[in-house]
Structure formats: C-alpha cells, structure tokens
Amino acid sequence: IDFISDKNKKKKKNIDLINKLNFNKEKIESILSKHEKKFFDEHLKWHHHLFANFSSDNQLKILEIGTYKGETTKFLANIFPNSIITTIDLPDKKFMEINQSDSFKVPLGAQLLSDNLNSIDFTNLKELSNIFIETRKKNLEKDNINFIQIDSFHAIEIFQKNSFDFIWVDGNHIMPQVAFDIFQAFHLCKKNGYILCDDIVMKHYRKATSSSEGYIIIKGLTKKNYIK
C-alpha cells in the first residue's frame, strides 16, 4: 500500500511541475500517444514527457551527451523530425581475448554492464557487446541522427560554441564527468536554449540510484547567474 501511495505521490508531483512550468499537458499526451507511449506508463521515464512538450517541426540543432543504446536518440529524432540530432558517446574499445587472434569492440563505461550487473558472464562478453552495438546501430539508423564517438570532454573542440538549441545530458552522473558534461553543454547551448539533465537528485541518499553531484553543479551555475 505504501509503495502504491508513493508512486501516486510522485505522479501528482510531476503533474504539478508540468502545470507550474506551463507545459502543454494535452500536447504531451498527444505526442506520446502518437509514438505508442502512455502518459501514465509507470515504466516510461518522465524525460519523455519533457521532450514531448518541446516537440517541434522546426529545424533545430539538438545534442545528446550519452547515447547508450540510442533509444532516447530515436525518440528525439521522431518528435523533432526536421531537426538534426547529434549524439555523442565514448568510443568502443577494441578487446582481444587471451590466446586468441580475433578481437571485437566493447562499449565503454557502464553502458554494457548496466544491463547485466547481476548476471554478466565475461565469457559471453563478445556476444553481449555485439548485441549492444547492433541494437544501438538499429536505433540510430534515422537520417536525422548523427552519431559521434568521442569523450564529451573534447566536445567543445569539434562543435561551435552556442550552436545547439536543445541539449540532453545523460552521461556519467558522478564527478568529475558530470561536471565536464554540464560545462560543455553550457558553452555549446545557444542563448535562451534548453539544457536538460538526467537523474538529478537534490539530496543524496545512501540507496539512491544517482548522485546529487549534478544538482550541485546546476545550483552553482544558477547562483552565479550563468543559467536560469
């Protein structure tokens, strides 16, 4: 009973925030429905609702930091059909098995591990890596998606400053990487553009699935009037 009550409380809080921000709830519901997603699906992450609010046929430049399997990238490409979605992630690492001549690519960071933390068998690393990379490749097939494998620390070196209308930060959520990602987003975002960050918690709890470090960075930038 407490678990159900808690979920309903979270739903109410999110609806209150949507209203407070003057987001278009009817538009959000319509966009989600069009792409076969339900507004109150408990398995649907709420950033889909935020994206749906900003959905547009305009020609925008959108940056995603942290591609993972490309599922969010594909959703962005669908709801911003005339925009270019540039998504960046760490380069896959070449891996060579012991005493074997063949090599294969492995997604870096927690990308592969996050799906298999409780069951990963490193003897199946090649198979798991191939499945991950093929899934990502399929999700990124749309013509308006540009996939670049680069450490986000170097993003400012390959993209023009103040050139993106909309940036989605969803890389590593802890320091120092989260600071790199948010600072890069700040410099790459246009004036009056939007930066959205995943898994922000305002206070760190021992059992939390994320960290408050991203929020600390955002709070600091807000305090200095760099962002609103």
Side-chain angles (χ1 to χ4, degrees):
I1 294 174
D2 288 341
F3 179 67
I4 294 172
S5 174
D6 184 57
K7 286 198 296 184
N8 289 335
K9 185 177 179 182
K10 288 179 180 178
K11 286 180 183 178
K12 182 180 183 304
K13 182 176 181 181
N14 284 333
I15 294 297
D16 288 344
L17 285 171
I18 283 175
N19 292 331
K20 183 179 181 181
L21 292 167
N22 292 318
F23 282 3
N24 188 332
K25 185 172 180 290
E26 289 70 28
K27 176 185 176 182
I28 294 171
E29 289 179 313
S30 175
I31 294 293
L32 291 178
S33 177
K34 180 180 178 181
H35 296 282
E36 301 179 344
K37 300 182 187 298
K38 296 180 180 179
F39 191 94
F40 284 117
D41 182 350
E42 63 182 71
H43 300 295
L44 183 66
K45 294 184 178 181
W46 277 85
H47 55 249
H48 289 84
H49 301 65
L50 303 184
F51 298 152
N53 177 77
F54 292 105
S55 174
S56 170
D57 290 330
N58 294 334
Q59 294 182 345
L60 304 175
K61 289 185 64 178
I62 297 173
L63 175 65
E64 177 186 46
I65 300 177
T67 309
Y68 190 50
K69 291 182 180 178
E71 292 163 347
T72 302
T73 323
K74 182 179 178 180
F75 181 69
L76 288 170
N78 286 333
I79 67 171
F80 293 94
N82 297 319
S83 298
I84 298 297
I85 317 297
T86 299
T87 181
I88 64 174
D89 215 327
L90 293 169
D92 299 329
K93 185 175 180 62
K94 187 175 181 179
F95 184 86
M96 185 172 292
E97 295 181 309
I98 300 174
N99 298 325
Q100 293 191 19
S101 58
D102 65 318
S103 62
F104 55 93
K105 290 184 178 181
V106 178
L108 277 184
Q111 299 178 45
L112 182 64
L113 292 175
S114 62
D115 290 335
N116 305 279
L117 280 176
N118 298 320
S119 60
I120 191 165
D121 180 355
F122 285 96
T123 60
N124 295 327
L125 184 60
K126 183 176 182 178
E127 180 184 1
L128 291 171
S129 297
N130 288 340
I131 292 172
F132 184 102
I133 291 172
E134 283 302 311
T135 300
R136 183 181 64 194
K137 181 180 178 181
K138 185 176 180 180
N139 284 327
L140 302 180
E141 283 178 346
K142 294 185 70 68
D143 291 338
N144 62 332
I145 294 176
N146 181 26
F147 178 43
I148 301 174
Q149 290 190 284
I150 186 176
D151 189 320
S152 61
F153 183 83
H154 301 289
I156 197 68
E157 300 169 15
I158 65 170
F159 300 121
Q160 184 178 350
K161 287 186 67 175
N162 312 123
S163 61
F164 289 96
D165 301 280
F166 189 97
I167 300 178
W168 170 233
V169 180
D170 190 12
N172 194 319
H173 299 328
I174 61 174
M175 293 286 283
Q177 191 62 49
V178 68
F180 298 158
D181 290 350
I182 294 175
F183 292 159
Q184 294 282 29
F186 170 76
H187 289 297
L188 294 172
C189 191
K190 290 181 180 178
K191 184 178 181 181
N192 297 322
Y194 290 89
I195 299 172
L196 279 71
C197 300
D198 189 39
D199 286 342
I200 295 298
V201 293
M202 297 183 183
K203 183 178 180 181
H204 182 67
Y205 297 95
R206 184 182 301 174
K207 295 184 179 180
T209 57
S210 190
S211 165
S212 60
E213 291 171 342
Y215 174 68
I216 292 170
I217 301 298
I218 294 170
K219 187 177 179 182
L221 290 172
T222 304
K223 189 174 182 180
K224 291 181 177 291
N225 294 319
Y226 290 141
I227 62 174
K228 180 179 180 182

